Amino acid sequence: MSLIHATDIKKHYRVGEIDVPALKGVDFEIDTSAFVAIVGPSGSGKSTLLNLIGCLDHPSSGTLLVNEVEVSKLSRADAADFRGEHLGFVFQDFNLVPVLTAYENVEYPLLMVRGWSADKRHERVMKILDAVGMKEQAHKRPDQLSGGQKQRVAVARALVGEPKLVLADEPTANLDHDTAYRILNLMKKMRDDFGTTFVFSTHDPKIMSEAEVTFILEDGKLSRQGENA
Ligand code: ADP
């Protein structure tokens, strides 16, 4: 079943008098529980595409369905609710709150959700920290963790609300190669265990080989490689 369905998506940015075409009409589908890489050189439109799927921006034209909702038409407030309910995000620079422990960083999104008791939150946070191999480090702050450990915490934070989809913009860009592979394998295991769909961007051809489906972005146009390409 397709979780994301994009039809003729275009995105232009206006910079003063100049129109910058970032996406020039892209069509694609992403299935539920897929593990997908969006690959392309810097400036090819990867972040633009992830921002649209993540309901952080609107396309200039085209239709974009995520979980059967036409997200390109959502208001700002409805987009925020949609993100909170269905999406998780992982960033290249981890974006952990420095004064909070690993546990508190992962718990943070749950504090925004009404109806979770402290006990239920605790159980959920410890379960997901355990799943990413960070249970023993729960009390540590980000400056006491390695880059790979920080990204594990960030993956846990993205997953704690049980989203349908996790979007990761260059999640391995600040990691050495071995750690990058370990983080990708962790994400794949989370996909296997929880059925979460993962879409990540990278400009590293070696990392891209870990994906099951690869979308190649070149100059705002998209082509597909991999399963059922
Ligand atoms: P990537 O993530 O592959 O590096 P981006 O999606 O960031 O690519 O950028 C695609 C194109 O859109 C580039 O030409 C970039 O300069 C332009 N662009 C991205 N964001 C903006 C913005 N907010 N304002 C103007 N131009 C932008």
Side-chain angles (χ1 to χ4, degrees):
M1 203 187 89
S2 100
L3 180 68
I4 307 173
H5 193 140
T7 312
D8 200 19
I9 297 289
K10 294 182 181 149
K11 178 68 184 177
H12 302 252
Y13 295 105
R14 192 94 191 149
V15 184
E17 295 293 292
I18 301 164
D19 199 39
V20 181
L23 295 174
K24 300 178 180 168
V26 302
D27 299 272
F28 62 90
E29 283 186 48
I30 292 177
D31 290 340
T32 298
S33 302
F35 197 72
V36 179
I38 299 174
V39 182
S42 185
S44 58
K46 303 184 297 296
S47 298
T48 299
L49 187 54
L50 284 175
N51 287 345
L52 297 180
I53 298 171
C55 309
L56 295 163
D57 202 356
H58 285 307
S60 306
S61 65
T63 56
L64 180 58
L65 296 172
V66 180
N67 200 31
E68 297 179 0
V69 172
E70 169 60 289
V71 295
S72 40
K73 293 205 166 66
L74 291 178
S75 68
R76 217 173 235 274
D78 288 344
D81 287 346
F82 187 86
R83 285 195 300 274
E85 197 176 340
H86 297 297
L87 307 182
F89 294 88
V90 176
F91 304 93
Q92 89 176 53
D93 48 8
F94 322 123
N95 278 20
L96 299 177
V97 181
V99 294
L100 299 183
T101 63
Y103 179 94
E104 289 163 340
N105 267 282
V106 175
E107 184 189 35
Y108 193 75
L110 297 182
L111 299 173
M112 311 289 142
V113 185
R114 260 174 288 170
W116 281 70
S117 66
D119 283 353
K120 193 174 161 202
R121 277 201 311 271
H122 181 75
E123 193 184 316
R124 177 76 193 143
V125 171
M126 290 315 286
K127 182 180 166 204
I128 199 76
L129 279 172
D130 193 22
V132 302
M134 289 297 291
K135 197 169 151 189
E136 306 302 320
Q137 323 285 335
H139 59 287
K140 291 191 176 166
R141 286 197 319 269
D143 63 1
Q144 298 170 300
L145 301 173
S146 69
Q149 288 175 326
K150 281 186 234 187
Q151 202 58 311
R152 281 172 187 271
V153 174
V155 169
R157 179 183 56 186
L159 287 168
V160 74
E162 300 185 329
K164 288 212 157 39
L165 172 65
V166 171
L167 299 166
D169 198 354
E170 302 256 5
T172 58
N174 287 330
L175 303 174
D176 63 69
H177 250 100
D178 287 351
T179 310
Y181 279 114
R182 278 203 284 275
I183 288 294
L184 278 192
N185 284 318
L186 171 70
M187 296 200 308
K188 214 185 271 180
K189 183 172 184 323
M190 297 298 105
R191 186 283 305 270
D192 294 343
D193 291 353
F194 301 119
T196 316
T197 308
F198 278 84
V199 181
F200 66 96
S201 68
T202 180
H203 59 259
D204 183 340
K206 290 192 197 121
I207 288 295
M208 118 193 189
S209 63
E210 294 296 304
E212 291 162 357
V213 179
T214 305
F215 291 141
I216 307 203
L217 262 179
E218 263 168 325
D219 197 24
K221 290 283 204 180
L222 188 136
S223 58
R224 180 184 165 121
Q225 283 182 357
E227 281 175 9
N228 311 315

